[in-house]
Amino acid sequence: MKTPRPLPVDFQDRPFTVVDAARAGVSPKRLRHSSLKRLGKGIRAESATAELPLSIRVRPFIEVNERCAASHLTAAELLVLPRRLQKGSQDMFHVIRPEGEAHLNRPHVIVHRMKLYSDEVTTVKGVPVTTPERTWLDMAETLSVDELIAMGDSCVRVPRAGLEDRALPLCCLADLQRMIDRHKGKRGLRKAKEAIKLIRVGSDSPQETLLRLAVVRAGLPEPELNVPIIGHDGLRHHEPDLSYREYRVGIEYEGEHHGDEVQIVRDIARSECYEMLGWTEVRISKRHMLNDAKPAVAKVRTALVQAGWRPGR
């Protein structure tokens, strides 16, 4: 077979719509060539797309479907919100379409037809996506209550100054409540109502959220989240992941990155700071979260009791 003419640079190594290619001067004959993979009606790709960023892979599927936006698991991934540990299929995308619109049956697309307001759609890297608060409510259909709390914590957390490319939370608690109030009768609404009661500002990771939930459900006091320790001299020191200022107990969740050599040095310095300030440091790792986090709860309880806390106080 005759070697096909090279595609314009903009259409190489990424999926594209036939409409966009035709506008760029690609001939119908070239678009029919067997060297192009057919990803669905009106969508082509010259090579495999699985390793491409999600925003590039999903864009043509949004463009060929009018009045659609990425939603549910696809939106959560684009917004970098925590979700279940397992990712969705590389070849399946969730899109939302306003109720009343015609049904779509396309390969690689899971279409959700439901009530959708114009202020519930934003843009991420040029792709229409449901807003963080609407995505949170949609994910209540499939997430557990604890997973939904972790996602909510991520939505309302304040970014770290100088470490992140944004200064404001993705949304606030009032935005999440507005979604609940607006979409009465929506699937998953009961879980969303239960979850929003336990969403807190200050958690930096899903692991910190799950640790907080385990501690509170075990009958221990609710800890503060990422609040700086103030020394006797009035100086601000580091911020424990969770802490009890009254008892001078700080809890640190140590993820996999704490095995890094630089991080180890920082952790040692942090432990020395705890000792200098007269605080107790409780270090929690992944293994302490097994068996419903009972080992983690036991460590926190021991530290609190030694610091003077008693059940029922």
Side-chain angles (χ1 to χ4, degrees), residues 12-271:
Q12 296 176 9
D13 302 321
R14 73 171 181 87
F16 56 87
T17 67
V18 168
V19 171
D20 282 346
R23 286 173 181 162
V26 180
S27 69
K29 183 178 180 181
R30 178 67 180 91
L31 291 171
R32 291 194 300 268
H33 197 277
S34 60
S35 63
L36 294 180
K37 299 179 183 294
R38 296 173 180 265
L39 303 182
K41 184 178 180 181
I43 302 174
R44 303 287 186 271
E46 194 171 31
S47 57
T49 63
E51 300 304 318
L52 295 174
L54 178 59
S55 58
I56 294 176
R57 289 185 284 119
V58 74
R59 184 195 298 270
F61 292 91
I62 300 294
E63 292 175 342
V64 298
N65 299 315
E66 294 182 359
R67 302 194 66 194
C68 283
S71 69
H72 294 73
L73 193 61
T74 302
E77 192 168 344
L78 286 167
L79 292 163
V80 197
L81 291 172
R83 51 208 181 280
R84 284 197 182 97
L85 292 179
Q86 66 270 26
K87 290 188 177 183
S89 167
Q90 291 277 334
D91 297 323
M92 295 300 296
F93 307 108
H94 291 261
V95 300
I96 191 170
R97 203 171 201 208
E99 60 182 358
E101 291 291 316
H103 177 69
L104 287 176
N105 185 15
R106 292 180 180 273
H108 309 292
V109 175
I110 299 172
V111 180
H112 305 267
R113 286 192 303 168
M114 53 184 68
K115 188 179 294 183
L116 180 67
Y117 295 89
S118 59
D119 63 352
E120 295 174 1
V121 176
T122 185
T123 303
V124 175
K125 297 180 180 178
V127 177
V129 178
T130 50
T131 59
E133 58 268 32
R134 176 58 197 263
T135 302
W136 174 81
L137 185 62
D138 286 337
M139 290 301 290
E141 298 174 9
T142 55
L143 295 183
S144 69
V145 171
D146 283 5
E147 288 170 332
L148 205 56
I149 295 169
M151 179 178 280
D153 278 3
S154 182
C155 284
V156 302
R157 65 176 288 272
V158 178
R160 296 280 183 171
L163 298 178
E164 300 178 55
D165 58 1
R166 59 186 176 90
L168 298 174
L170 293 174
C171 65
C172 63
L173 271 170
D175 294 324
L176 301 179
Q177 185 62 54
R178 181 166 52 89
M179 291 296 103
I180 290 175
D181 297 338
R182 176 183 279 182
H183 294 280
K184 299 185 185 302
K186 192 178 187 304
R187 186 178 162 214
L189 197 64
R190 182 177 298 179
K191 281 190 287 184
K193 289 179 178 179
E194 184 178 348
I196 198 170
K197 297 174 185 176
L198 292 169
I199 292 173
R200 301 288 186 269
V201 175
S203 182
D204 273 344
S205 72
Q207 291 78 16
E208 290 178 26
T209 295
L210 296 178
L211 177 57
R212 168 175 63 86
L213 294 176
V215 164
V216 172
R217 286 168 180 164
L220 302 183
E222 180 162 347
E224 293 182 291
L225 307 176
N226 287 289
V227 174
I229 296 175
I230 307 298
H232 296 299
D233 52 7
L235 294 178
R236 290 166 59 100
H237 295 271
H238 67 278
E239 304 172 2
D241 295 333
L242 299 86
S243 63
Y244 298 98
R245 278 186 284 181
E246 180 181 355
Y247 302 102
R248 295 192 176 189
V249 172
I251 308 164
E252 306 285 356
Y253 185 90
E254 302 188 345
E256 295 179 0
H257 71 284
H258 282 263
D260 175 78
E261 186 174 345
V262 174
Q263 188 61 47
I264 289 174
V265 173
R266 290 175 181 166
D267 289 344
I268 292 173
R270 184 192 66 198
S271 296

